[in-house]
Amino acid sequence: GRFTPANAMEYNISLLFTDKPTPLWYYASHAVEFVVLVFFLTQILKRYTSDRRWIYLIIALLALTPGFTYSWFRLQLNERDVLLFMAAFLYCYFRFQDSQRTTWLALASIAAAIAIYYKETGFILVGVYASAHMILSWRNGERDTRIWAFDAVLLTAALSYVLLYSALVLPSGGVFVYGKGDLPAAEVLIKNFLNYLFVSDPVIILMVLPLTLWRVYRVFVRGDRAEPFYDALLASASLFVAAYFVLNLFGFYYFQPVYVLAIPPLFHFIKERIGLKPWRYASIAAATLVALNSVPTGLHYLTYYKYAPTNFNATIDSLVRDIKTRFPDRRANIFIDGVDRGSGKFTYF
C-alpha cells in the first residue's frame, strides 16, 4: 500500500494567496522549488569546484534528465520533493561543518524527516545514511557526540516511518503488489536495468553503483580507512537504487533523489582517480549516454508535459460542449473502455 502523507502538501501554500487556486498556482510552486533547489545545488557544488562553468553545466544536465523534466512538469510526483529536501539536508549539514552551530544539524534533521514522508522509499535514504555513518564512525574511533546524536535522530525518524507503515498500511494490504505483472520477473528486471542504464540514469548505473562497490572492497577487504560521510552517502544512494530493482520497478523519475547524494562522493573519490582506465572509460560512457539518450528524452518529456494539462483541459472542454449540444436535456453516462492497458493496474480519471 501507499503511505506518503506529505505528498502534495506544498500545493496548500497557494491557499494563502487565493481560495480558488488554478493549475498556474501549482506550477508556480514547482518554479519556486526549482529556484531553491538550484541554490542548494550551487552551494553544494561550490565545495568541490570553483569553476562556475562546471557548476552550471552539471545543474543544467540534471535539469534536462528525463526524470527531472518528468517530475517537474507533472503534478504530484514526490521524487521532486524528496530531491529538494535531501538537498536541503546536505546544505544544512555542510553549513554545520563550516560553523559548528548545532542549529544547522537540527535543520538538517527536519529536512531529512520531511523527505521520508514524501516517498515510501525515503526512509532508506535517511536510515541507511545514518546507520552507515554511525558504524563507519565507530570503526574509525570517531566520537563526536553531536554527530552521534544527529545520526541517532535520523535513524529514529527512519524507523518511526517503518513502524507507522507496519501499523497503518500493512494490515490493510490488498492483492496488488508493486512490480508484479503478467511478464516474467526476470524479463522485466532486465528491461528495467537496460532502461536505467541506457536512457534515464547512466551516471547512477555506470558511476555511483561501481564506486560504492569499490569503496566496500577498499574499506572491508583491503582495510582502507573509511570516510564515514562520503561512504555513508554512497551506501544510502546505492541501497535506494537497489530497492527499485528488488521491487522490479522502472520509472524515469525514481532515482532523482540519488543525484544530490551522489554529487559529493563522486567529486571526492573520482577526481583523484579519473586518470585510471576503468573510471575514465565509465565516465566517457556515462557522458555519451547522457548526451545521446538522457538529454533528448528529457527534452521530449519537457515539451510533452508542458502542454499535456492544456491539451487535457481542451479535450474535456470539447467533450462538455459536445454533450451539451447533442444531449442538452439528458444526463451523460461515461464509461471507461479498459483500465490502464499498459499494465491493467491503475485507473486514471
Side-chain angles (χ1 to χ4, degrees):
R2 303 306 305 267
F3 184 57
T4 57
N7 188 20
M9 291 298 292
E10 66 273 16
Y11 298 137
N12 291 325
I13 296 175
S14 62
L15 297 176
L16 299 175
F17 305 98
T18 177
D19 58 352
K20 296 180 180 179
T22 64
L24 176 63
W25 285 98
Y26 302 141
Y27 282 102
S29 71
H30 289 200
V32 172
E33 285 182 287
F34 179 74
V35 171
V36 175
L37 177 64
V38 168
F39 169 76
F40 287 146
L41 291 176
T42 301
Q43 298 304 309
I44 292 169
L45 286 165
K46 280 182 178 179
R47 303 182 71 89
Y48 300 98
T49 177
S50 58
D51 191 335
R52 291 184 176 273
R53 293 171 299 181
W54 275 109
I55 293 174
Y56 298 146
L57 176 62
I58 291 171
I59 293 175
L61 289 176
L62 177 60
L64 292 176
T65 58
F68 198 99
T69 57
Y70 215 98
S71 57
W72 241 262
F73 284 87
R74 281 183 59 184
L75 299 174
Q76 285 189 274
L77 284 180
N78 33 11
E79 283 75 10
R80 176 185 64 254
D81 303 288
V82 179
L83 171 62
L84 175 65
F85 282 103
M86 292 310 294
F89 161 78
L90 271 186
Y91 171 76
C92 292
Y93 187 81
F94 284 137
R95 290 299 301 269
F96 164 76
Q97 288 185 328
D98 294 336
S99 67
Q100 291 298 304
R101 294 178 58 187
T102 308
T103 302
W104 288 111
L105 282 183
L107 292 174
S109 302
I110 293 171
I114 294 174
I116 290 173
Y117 287 89
Y118 263 104
K119 187 71 177 179
E120 293 91 346
T121 48
F123 79 94
I124 297 175
L125 288 174
V126 178
V128 171
Y129 169 81
S131 55
H133 194 268
M134 293 179 77
I135 293 170
L136 295 175
S137 297
W138 174 81
R139 188 173 185 269
N140 284 355
E142 300 173 8
R143 298 290 188 271
D144 187 321
T145 305
R146 288 186 296 175
I147 296 299
W148 275 78
F150 174 64
D151 289 338
V153 169
L154 296 180
L155 188 57
T156 300
L159 293 176
S160 297
Y161 176 86
V162 174
L163 292 175
L164 284 172
Y165 188 92
S166 301
L168 300 177
V169 180
L170 287 182
S172 303
V175 296
F176 169 62
V177 179
Y178 265 50
K180 301 295 183 181
D182 298 328
L183 295 175
E187 179 182 339
V188 174
L189 180 63
I190 293 171
K191 288 182 177 180
N192 290 345
F193 177 80
L194 294 176
N195 277 324
Y196 284 125
L197 170 61
F198 287 106
V199 183
S200 63
D201 303 285
V203 173
I204 302 299
I205 303 299
L206 292 174
M207 300 292 292
V208 177
L209 298 185
L211 181 58
T212 304
L213 293 175
W214 180 76
R215 285 299 299 165
V216 170
Y217 169 75
R218 295 300 307 182
V219 172
F220 294 102
V221 178
R222 296 297 297 272
D224 288 1
R225 183 177 175 83
E227 299 194 41
F229 174 66
Y230 295 108
D231 290 330
L233 288 178
L234 282 175
S236 173
S238 295
L239 287 179
F240 182 83
V241 169
Y244 287 95
F245 287 117
V246 172
L247 294 170
N248 217 359
L249 294 173
F250 171 77
F252 286 113
Y253 46 87
Y254 281 146
F255 293 172
Q256 281 298 291
V258 170
Y259 284 94
V260 70
L261 299 183
I263 287 173
L266 282 175
F267 268 96
H268 180 72
F269 292 118
I270 296 296
K271 69 179 181 180
E272 298 177 359
R273 298 165 180 84
I274 196 65
L276 301 177
K277 286 185 178 180
W279 297 114
R280 185 166 70 246
Y281 293 155
S283 300
I284 292 173
T288 301
L289 290 172
V290 167
L292 297 182
N293 290 348
S294 300
V295 170
T297 304
L299 289 172
H300 160 70
Y301 282 112
L302 187 155
T303 56
Y304 178 81
Y305 282 111
K306 177 181 178 182
Y307 292 105
T310 301
N311 293 336
F312 177 78
N313 286 340
T315 301
I316 297 299
D317 290 342
S318 176
L319 177 64
V320 170
R321 286 194 300 270
D322 181 68
I323 292 173
K324 289 184 177 179
T325 300
R326 293 197 294 157
F327 309 104
D329 300 320
R330 295 172 57 187
R331 170 176 173 165
N333 295 313
I334 299 176
F335 298 90
I336 298 176
D337 182 18
V339 179
D340 188 15
R341 297 173 183 179
S343 65
K345 298 173 181 174
F346 301 96
T347 303
Y348 294 96
F349 297 95

